[in-house]
Amino acid sequence: MASSMRSLLSDHRRYFEAFRSFLSNSTEHQCMQEFMDKQLPGIIARIGDAKSEIKILSIGGGAGEMDLQILSKFRARYPGVPIINEVIEPSAEQITKYKELVAKTSNLENIKFVWHKETSSEYQNRVMEKKEIQKWDFIHMIQMLYYVKDIPATLKFFHSLLATNAKILIILASGNSGWGKLWKKYGPRLPRNDLCLYITSSHLTQILDNLGIKYECYDLLSTMDITDCFIEGNENGELLWDFLTETCNFTATAPPGLKAEIMKDLQEPELSIRKEGKVLFNSSMSFIVIEP
């Protein structure tokens, strides 16, 4: 029965297992790396001009892999300039992994790390209560807006924190990806969690337009190998099913008809391509750069 399904976010251990499976089967990090190498240096070219230090705010920094990539570009562009890197991350487990990564990474001199175990809304409330508005030179939100309840208010708040020449970088699912089509069709039949919104760049750019906020949007192709999803009882496939549907133990709890419908759609050209015997889900991403 559908009522036995529950959100993947209700089980943090299962969520991180599914997330790790997604990362190992997708080109997401390679796609982000391509953006960091080719686009980011130009985007940050003027951010630190005439500044004695650069202040970076990471919202939902996770385990820090992408944060350190971003920091490496700043160090290359502004050698010797001190950097303050504050991280907002609600998961204690992820913060621990982030700290471990920093401890074993060289060339991080001149960078001060500060971690806060809180959500973006908790950070916002804390700042507003203290009335100590800190301006930032670069704010990034990587794959985290799905977990924000009031996106327009969140964007307005962080936009108000931008210093001179500052930028906000947002990374999330492209409106042209398979995610958008999957969520639109099946979202109402999957377990909803008020901590997870089915949002893509199409929704986000509409919100930014309504707010009158200037931005640029870059789309890059990314794929996820979901071949194992079509092998009955495959452990990796089970985790990928969970991540695709945001449902804990989806194959064990979903009505057979629902799984069959999604399985059929996952093989359609609108959602996936076939290449060398593999089924590759379109998990393309959008990189949205916001200006003051």
Side-chain angles (χ1 to χ4, degrees):
M1 290 178 61
S3 60
S4 66
M5 293 193 296
R6 60 192 176 97
S7 167
L8 183 58
L9 287 166
S10 66
D11 185 329
H12 287 287
R13 183 171 168 272
R14 183 73 177 180
Y15 173 83
F16 284 115
E17 284 180 0
F19 180 60
R20 281 194 290 270
S21 181
F22 160 70
L23 287 181
S24 64
N25 287 274
S26 81
T27 61
E28 174 164 301
H29 273 187
Q30 296 95 304
C31 179
M32 289 188 190
Q33 186 68 58
E34 180 184 343
F35 178 84
M36 302 301 175
D37 290 342
K38 294 182 178 179
Q39 302 291 345
L40 191 62
I43 290 167
I44 67 172
R46 294 183 56 237
I47 284 178
D49 288 356
K51 292 177 181 175
S52 58
E53 64 179 10
I54 297 171
K55 297 175 181 175
I56 299 175
L57 182 63
S58 166
I59 309 295
E65 296 99 330
M66 286 301 115
D67 284 24
L68 294 195
Q69 292 293 334
I70 290 170
L71 289 167
S72 72
K73 302 306 177 188
F74 273 93
R75 289 187 75 255
R77 177 65 182 82
Y78 303 102
V81 178
I83 297 173
I84 296 174
N85 186 72
E86 293 205 19
V87 182
I88 309 301
E89 169 56 52
S91 167
E93 179 185 355
Q94 293 292 86
I95 288 175
T96 297
K97 289 181 178 178
Y98 196 139
K99 290 179 177 179
E100 290 171 352
L101 181 62
V102 167
K104 65 184 182 184
T105 302
S106 58
N107 299 322
L108 294 179
E109 58 271 11
N110 284 340
I111 302 177
K112 178 185 178 183
F113 290 89
V114 182
W115 289 270
H116 303 277
K117 183 184 175 300
E118 59 189 356
T119 65
S120 63
S121 58
E122 287 169 343
Y123 169 80
Q124 183 174 339
N125 292 336
R126 174 165 63 84
V127 169
M128 298 303 286
E129 285 172 11
K130 288 186 175 180
K131 296 180 180 178
E132 296 174 359
I133 304 300
Q134 170 74 62
K135 294 288 185 176
W136 299 92
D137 300 304
F138 192 71
I139 300 172
H140 56 88
M141 307 174 177
I142 300 176
Q143 298 285 50
M144 58 71 62
L145 277 180
Y146 317 111
Y147 312 108
V148 172
K149 286 186 181 180
D150 191 338
I151 292 175
T154 298
L155 292 174
K156 282 180 68 176
F157 170 73
F158 285 106
H159 188 252
S160 73
L161 303 185
L162 291 179
T164 306
N165 296 332
K167 301 280 178 68
I168 296 175
L169 171 63
I170 297 174
I171 304 177
L172 79 169
S174 167
N176 297 318
S177 70
W179 293 116
K181 299 176 179 71
L182 192 69
W183 293 337
K184 184 176 181 179
K185 184 171 182 179
Y186 294 103
R189 297 168 63 186
L190 296 170
R192 296 305 298 265
N193 184 303
D194 64 359
L195 288 177
C196 185
L197 304 173
Y198 300 130
I199 182 173
T200 68
S201 61
S202 297
H203 305 110
L204 186 64
T205 53
Q206 188 173 2
I207 291 170
L208 291 170
D209 286 338
N210 291 339
L211 292 172
I213 293 176
K214 294 186 296 181
Y215 64 88
E216 287 187 28
C217 185
Y218 308 79
D219 265 24
L220 289 181
L221 176 65
S222 178
T223 59
M224 171 169 54
D225 183 353
I226 58 171
T227 311
D228 287 346
C229 290
F230 304 97
I231 303 172
E232 197 68 34
N234 182 281
E235 185 178 351
N236 184 55
E238 306 272 327
L239 289 169
L240 292 174
W241 269 112
D242 286 11
F243 196 79
L244 279 165
T245 62
E246 288 283 348
T247 303
C248 190
N249 297 309
F250 174 80
T251 59
T253 61
L258 178 60
K259 180 184 176 184
E261 281 184 62
I262 298 178
M263 184 177 283
K264 180 176 180 295
D265 279 353
L266 284 174
Q267 299 176 76
E268 295 295 324
E270 280 195 344
L271 295 182
S272 305
I273 60 170
R274 288 186 176 272
K275 188 176 181 181
E276 299 174 355
K278 295 181 178 181
V279 182
L280 303 177
F281 179 75
N282 180 345
S283 58
S284 294
M285 292 182 292
S286 290
F287 299 76
I288 297 171
V289 180
I290 295 174
E291 299 177 8

